[in-house]
Amino acid sequence: QKEVEQNSGPLSVPEGAIASLNCTYSDRGSQSFFWYRQYSGKSPELIMSIYSNGDKEDGRFTAQLNKASQYVSLLIRDSQPSDSATYLCAVNYSGGSNYKLTFGKGTLLTVNP
Amino acid sequence: DTAVSQTPKYLVTQMGNDKSIKCEQNLGHDTMYWYKQDSKKFLKIMFSYNNKELIINETVPNRFSPKSPDKAHLNLHINSLELGDSAVYFCASSDSWGLYEKLFFGSGTQLSVL
């Protein structure tokens, strides 16, 4: 059973702070990693993908991957109230010729003005 | 223009009924999915189709039957609805199938079984 673990939160940060969201995964063979953002009552939307160890930056978002530790994180700099949402970590692995994206249960982030 | 659209948005029905959810994407993607999100927000894949061919069929009761008439459409039919089927069902599509698939989700169908 492939598992993706996230702290369900809520994680509360003040406006302008750095929000740090963490995710661990069980399958060492996992190769691609994604962060989806889901506003309350809305559908998930992709905000970051990362495939190699290290950091990947896109605007205020930085994804970090450490395959040896089976750990992926998302940093949100200069957090805004509009960043308040549930952040879903997703990990893709291959089981033979089949690929399956497994989601964590999400971390609820609240950014306080 | 809505990229992935699914109907209806809300579905309230009695136990034992049969219902369908429709999904259409205009992104030109080859791969479509059905996901179920329970009350605890856990998002779990149910089915995946690539070029109308079923490629992922998770451990889902056979009361759930997907149908893909063409690459742009993936419908979900549910027979003999049960209370535990209450959830939000998301349709999604991606331009590739494999390790780097990036999903585009529809707006979801909130199914309530009474």
Side-chain angles (χ1 to χ4, degrees), chain A residues 6-13 21 38-40 83-88 105-111, chain B residues 41:
Chain A
Q6 294 181 255
N7 187 328
S8 62
L11 172 66
S12 184
V13 300
L21 303 156
Q38 186 174 23
Y39 292 114
S40 180
D83 295 326
S84 297
T86 296
Y87 289 80
L88 303 169
K105 293 188 179 182
T107 297
L108 176 62
L109 171 67
T110 301
V111 181
Chain B
K41 302 297 185 185

Side-chain angles (χ1 to χ4, degrees), chain B residues 1 51 53 55 57 65-66 76 81-82 85-86 91:
Chain B
D1 287 345
N51 272 321
E53 181 182 343
I55 52 174
N57 183 347
S65 53
L76 183 65
L81 277 156
E82 300 178 357
D85 297 332
S86 296
C91 176

Side-chain angles (χ1 to χ4, degrees), chain A residues 30-106:
Chain A
S30 299
Q31 297 181 50
S32 53
F33 308 86
F34 306 87
W35 284 99
Y36 285 79
R37 177 177 62 197
Q38 186 174 23
Y39 292 114
S40 180
K42 301 296 184 182
S43 57
E45 58 175 328
L46 180 67
I47 55 172
M48 288 288 286
S49 60
I50 187 166
Y51 311 130
S52 304
N53 279 331
D55 295 359
K56 179 182 178 182
E57 188 174 317
D58 183 1
R60 295 186 297 111
F61 298 97
T62 298
Q64 299 176 317
L65 175 61
N66 184 327
K67 289 186 179 180
S69 300
Q70 296 173 236
Y71 177 94
V72 58
S73 64
L74 179 70
L75 300 178
I76 307 175
R77 288 183 301 283
D78 188 23
S79 295
Q80 301 297 310
S82 58
D83 295 326
S84 297
T86 296
Y87 289 80
L88 303 169
C89 174
V91 176
N92 208 328
Y93 71 95
S94 66
S97 59
N98 286 328
Y99 301 92
K100 188 168 73 171
L101 196 62
T102 301
F103 283 84
K105 293 188 179 182

Side-chain angles (χ1 to χ4, degrees), chain B residues 50-90:
Chain B
N50 184 252
N51 272 321
K52 301 193 301 175
E53 181 182 343
L54 181 66
I55 52 174
I56 292 178
N57 183 347
E58 284 297 283
T59 309
V60 176
N62 58 15
R63 298 182 294 104
F64 291 79
S65 53
K67 278 193 172 56
S68 181
D70 55 57
K71 283 195 323 181
H73 296 84
L74 179 62
N75 303 322
L76 183 65
H77 188 75
I78 315 170
N79 289 325
S80 303
L81 277 156
E82 300 178 357
L83 293 177
D85 297 332
S86 296
V88 180
Y89 292 84
F90 286 103

